[in-house]
């Protein structure tokens, strides 16, 4: 989610003991069921479904730091907050009636009530990348191989979890979504989407999103291919429909669909 020269995906071999703890990830296929053409694009850093609408946090690379609401029926984008270029907006999540938005390197965590009124700001000691939550706490990534389980009250760290794909540590964990006891994560500079156990840190499953390119128009593919930063980033789950929404940075569309088991053999990791 940063400039390409500053970020790469590293998979670091680990000792045999670590290799034995994680089985090979299962392969998943994303089956699209719908497409939402948005009427304004954004440098997507966070995505979540709330009360039937899709909410998005954007960064200021090419644009502004915003919180947007996207109508899933029309694709109309309404900007609820625009901080301009004062901050680089990152991961976002709703928890316990509040909206949390991280920033990249400013160490600020903005908190809003359900009416988008600002609440006391929190502080993040690390870089901010992705943000989600389980039933009792926030979960954040910082571009490393670690996930941080955090107090919603003060953003203090309760637990740190390292993520492995078999014998390899997976870095550049990016946008996050917690669904039915698992953490889904985009990986920066990759079209792979991972499903991670929040208990073991093992990558349980992976999905290659490159088949979505076949659904795009030639013009859309050219626009996305024009900059190596415009990779997939953004996954949201709608518990009412069971559908996921996936998108990428400055993509003019979001795809909705489901993940199913693939019938091709596992390659052993992302």
């Amino acid at each position: 989610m940063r400039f390409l020269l500053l970020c790469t995906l590293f998979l670091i071999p680990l000792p045999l003991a670590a290799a034995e703890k994680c089985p090979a990830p299962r392969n998943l296929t994303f089956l699209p069921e719908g497409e939402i053409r948005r009427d304004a694009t954004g440098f997507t850093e966070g995505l979540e479904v709330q009360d039937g609408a899709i909410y998005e946090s954007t960064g200021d690379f090419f644009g502004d730091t915003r919180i947007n609401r996207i109508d899933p029926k029309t694709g109309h984008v309404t900007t609820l907050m625009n901080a301009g270029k004062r901050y680089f907006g990152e991961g976002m999540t709703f928890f316990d009636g509040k909206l949390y938005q991280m920033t990249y390197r400013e160490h600020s965590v903005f908190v809003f009530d359900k009416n988008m009124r600002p609440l006391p700001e929190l502080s993040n000691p690390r870089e901010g990348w992705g943000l989600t939550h389980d039933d009792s706490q926030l979960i954040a990534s910082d571009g490393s191989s670690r996930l941080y389980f955090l107090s919603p009250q003060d953003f203090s760290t309760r637990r740190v979890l390292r993520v492995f794909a078999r014998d390899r540590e997976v870095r550049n964990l990016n946008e996050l979504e917690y669904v039915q006891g698992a953490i889904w994560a985009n990986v920066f500079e990759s079209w792979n989407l991972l499903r991670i156990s929040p208990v073991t840190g093992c990558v349980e499953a992976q999905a290659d999103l490159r088949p979505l390119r076949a659904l795009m128009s030639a013009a859309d593919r050219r626009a996305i291919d024009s900059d190596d930063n415009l990779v997939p980033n953004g996954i949201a789950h709608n518990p009412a429909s069971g559908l996921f929404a996936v998108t990428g940075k400055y993509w003019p569309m979001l795809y909705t669909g489901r993940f199913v088991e693939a019938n091709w053999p596992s390659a052993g990791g992302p």
Side-chain angles (χ1 to χ4, degrees), residues 47 61 77 91 98 119 136 161 181 194 204 214 227:
L47 201 69
F61 186 29
V77 178
K98 300 175 183 177
L119 298 173
S136 62
L161 181 69
L194 310 181
E204 301 174 324
D227 191 302

Side-chain angles (χ1 to χ4, degrees), residues 81-103:
M81 187 280 291
N82 189 338
K85 296 183 178 296
R86 291 178 295 163
Y87 304 95
F88 195 120
E90 287 288 349
M92 174 198 70
T93 196
F94 287 87
F95 180 77
D96 196 24
K98 300 175 183 177
L99 186 156
Y100 295 79
Q101 183 192 37
M102 294 194 303
T103 57

Side-chain angles (χ1 to χ4, degrees), residues 3-26:
F3 298 98
L4 183 60
L5 292 177
L6 297 180
C7 295
T8 55
L9 173 63
F10 295 100
L11 298 173
I12 300 176
L14 296 172
L16 181 60
E20 291 174 346
K21 79 171 188 176
C22 291
R26 299 192 300 276

